[in-house]
Amino acid sequence: ARIYAVEKRAKQRAAKEETFTAEDRKSLRLKHAKPLLDKLKGVLDEKAETIVPRSALGGAISYARNEWPRLVAYLEDGSLEIDNNLAEQSIKPFVIGRKNWLFCNSASGAEASAVIYSLLQSAKANKLPLNQWLTHVLEQLPRCTTDEQRKMLLPHRFDTELLKKN
């Protein structure tokens, strides 16, 4: 909870201060979250010596220690989120609706659906106006003659100024 409190503080600062950068978030994490994680690592290492490895707690400790480099990687890059909750939340509607999409009864149909869903979720993540963006992409895609032109329509590379011109 204390580690997530650091993340909450970073989000609040980012909302208030336009100049709050990923580097500032990294500094905040290193100052406040890293000591908490270091303390947790010490407890894990200490308990690993006394807890039976095959017990539930021993297994949890082993798992945490084995995954430690991946757990603390977010400390070194302020643009990374602490968890994958955003990704989990974005796919939840598709997981819930899986039975509704039984029409994807072929590999190519499932692949096409996955591409469309991924593009739409990426557009949401990039804060694009979905209807305008999708309309623009569907209108422009047939006119694209190079891979570079097609890549410029992808959500993370899309120039929103193009929507204002239409």
Side-chain angles (χ1 to χ4, degrees):
R2 288 186 220 145
I3 294 168
Y4 274 88
V6 173
E7 293 303 299
K8 184 176 181 180
R9 190 178 326 157
K11 285 181 183 175
Q12 288 170 339
R13 282 193 54 197
K16 288 180 189 175
E17 305 170 26
E18 287 183 24
T19 59
F20 189 79
T21 65
E23 200 58 37
D24 295 327
R25 187 177 186 192
K26 175 183 172 182
S27 296
L28 189 71
R29 287 173 171 172
L30 291 174
K31 182 176 180 182
H32 298 287
K34 187 174 184 317
L36 297 169
L37 288 162
D38 289 344
K39 185 175 179 182
L40 175 60
K41 180 72 162 83
V43 170
L44 291 172
D45 291 344
E46 178 186 316
K47 294 294 182 187
E49 302 296 322
T50 60
I51 302 292
V52 178
R54 294 198 183 254
S55 68
L57 181 58
I61 290 171
S62 293
Y63 178 79
R65 292 176 74 215
N66 290 339
E67 297 297 321
W68 195 260
R70 285 174 279 287
L71 173 69
V72 298
Y74 86 103
L75 291 172
E76 295 303 322
D77 186 343
S79 66
L80 295 177
E81 294 296 328
I82 189 173
D83 54 36
N84 68 344
N85 285 347
L86 287 174
E88 293 285 341
Q89 289 169 3
S90 70
I91 66 168
K92 188 176 181 180
F94 304 107
V95 172
I96 292 170
R98 200 176 357 220
K99 289 182 182 177
N100 296 332
W101 300 315
L102 292 176
F103 65 86
C104 296
N105 58 358
S106 70
S108 60
E111 185 176 342
S113 293
V115 168
I116 291 169
Y117 299 141
S118 295
L119 285 170
L120 290 173
Q121 290 304 319
S122 295
K124 276 187 194 177
N126 283 278
K127 297 181 175 45
L128 295 175
L130 288 183
N131 287 340
Q132 286 180 282
W133 171 77
L134 189 56
T135 300
H136 181 81
V137 167
L138 292 174
E139 287 172 351
Q140 296 303 313
L141 197 55
R143 297 183 183 115
C144 293
T145 56
T146 66
D147 283 342
E148 188 56 33
Q149 289 173 327
R150 285 184 278 277
K151 287 178 184 176
M152 294 308 292
L153 296 174
L154 291 172
H156 67 283
R157 295 184 66 188
F158 189 74
D159 179 5
T160 55
E161 292 298 315
L162 294 172
L163 297 177
K164 294 175 185 173
K165 293 176 184 176
N166 291 337

